[in-house]
Amino acid sequence: MTDQLKISDLDLSAYVDGELDSDRMRAVEDAVSRDAALGDRIASYRNDKNFLKTIYAPLAEHSIPSAWIELARAAPNPAARARRTWRILGAAAAVVVLLGGLSFYEAGNKHTPAADVIEAALNARNGEEAVRKVITVAGVGEARRYDAALVAIVGVKVSVPALDSMGFRVTSLKFYEHAAEIQYRDDNGRLFTLYLRASNGETRFDQFQRDGLHICVWQDDRISTVMAGTISAAMMQRLASLTYLGLSA
């Protein structure tokens, strides 16, 4: 077995975040010294982390408002349902993710949010939803030709996110009656899906695990998104943050 197979994405993410114990850290550094590809992946993770910190630096310099934290934890607080743009929701939750690390994932994993949009997203991912059109694309450049179709569905100006820096490339778009799914795959064929539809008016943010899938739900009063993949919690955090940056690009 090669070192690249022994070192997981979670190991690399934890290494970048300084969360590995000394033995595992040495193992990663030893593997990187003999595998340039691993070094490139670490550099990519660091670039993503630095980019996100730069984007959210003005917010991170201040304490996070309690209302934002309640919103990010999907607290059933009527005040949290006040109208706000989905970009602010994404920024607030991303700051919590960046500052909270894996502990935020564990907190979000204590409960599973209401299943309506989640079930729809998983049905779409599993091919159990009646699809109207499937479009195969060769990358994000080609996929963005269909941004207008996404806008028509969700009612918010969005763009197909580029996740290539995390090793996931757009392979197809699926359009349903009132929703859309963007599919990404990495070099190993792992599927990452982004499901989009108009919101039912509720606000929520959560991450949890179901049947081997890590799932992240972001929703405000205008747009609902569900991300799912057989990836680590740390990888999901990074992909979720990059997804929201990409959607609003």
Side-chain angles (χ1 to χ4, degrees):
M1 182 179 292
T2 66
D3 287 321
Q4 187 168 356
L5 292 177
K6 293 178 183 177
I7 303 299
S8 68
D9 290 329
L10 183 57
D11 285 324
L12 297 181
S13 294
Y15 178 79
V16 169
D17 293 335
E19 296 174 351
L20 290 179
D21 60 39
S22 57
D23 290 340
R24 195 58 182 162
M25 182 174 67
R26 284 193 294 270
V28 170
E29 291 174 342
D30 181 63
V32 169
S33 69
R34 291 181 281 111
D35 189 336
L38 286 178
D40 290 342
R41 285 163 63 190
I42 287 178
S44 178
Y45 285 10
R46 281 180 172 151
N47 287 338
D48 289 335
K49 182 176 182 179
N50 290 335
F51 177 61
L52 292 173
K53 284 185 174 180
T54 299
I55 290 293
Y56 294 118
L59 292 174
E61 290 174 357
H62 304 283
S63 60
I64 300 174
S66 59
W68 282 13
I69 295 176
E70 291 175 2
L71 175 62
R73 290 175 177 168
N77 183 347
R81 299 182 182 181
R83 189 169 186 82
R84 55 177 59 80
T85 67
W86 66 275
R87 288 182 179 84
I88 294 298
L89 171 61
V95 169
V96 176
V97 170
L98 287 171
L99 298 183
L102 289 177
S103 61
F104 177 71
Y105 169 78
E106 291 164 357
N109 199 31
K110 292 179 181 178
H111 67 283
T112 300
D116 52 350
V117 70
I118 299 166
E119 295 302 330
L122 294 182
N123 287 342
R125 179 185 171 94
N126 295 331
E128 299 170 0
E129 183 94 359
V131 63
R132 288 191 166 187
K133 189 173 183 63
V134 179
I135 300 171
T136 301
V137 295
V140 70
E142 185 176 347
R144 284 179 175 167
R145 293 168 54 191
Y146 302 94
D147 283 353
L150 295 178
V151 173
I153 286 175
V154 301
V156 178
K157 189 178 185 302
V158 292
S159 184
V160 175
L163 305 180
D164 300 71
S165 62
M166 294 297 293
F168 283 87
R169 290 173 295 281
V170 184
T171 58
S172 65
L173 296 93
K174 294 184 177 182
F175 293 97
Y176 304 90
E177 184 175 4
H178 299 296
E181 181 189 68
I182 306 172
Q183 293 195 342
Y184 299 79
R185 290 190 183 273
D186 68 3
D187 290 338
N188 296 318
R190 287 187 303 174
L191 175 65
F192 177 80
T193 53
L194 169 60
Y195 182 85
L196 301 166
R197 77 178 192 190
S199 172
N200 64 0
E202 297 180 356
T203 55
R204 68 173 73 161
F205 176 83
D206 208 346
Q207 291 190 66
F208 59 96
Q209 186 171 359
R210 180 191 295 184
D211 299 329
L213 282 176
H214 278 107
I215 299 169
C216 180
V217 183
W218 305 65
Q219 179 171 293
D220 73 348
D221 63 339
R222 301 182 66 191
I223 184 172
S224 299
T225 68
V226 179
M227 290 156 274
T230 52
I231 54 179
S232 67
M235 178 70 81
M236 175 57 82
Q237 290 169 0
R238 297 178 191 282
L239 285 171
S241 295
L242 287 176
T243 293
Y244 252 86
L245 287 173
L247 279 172
S248 60

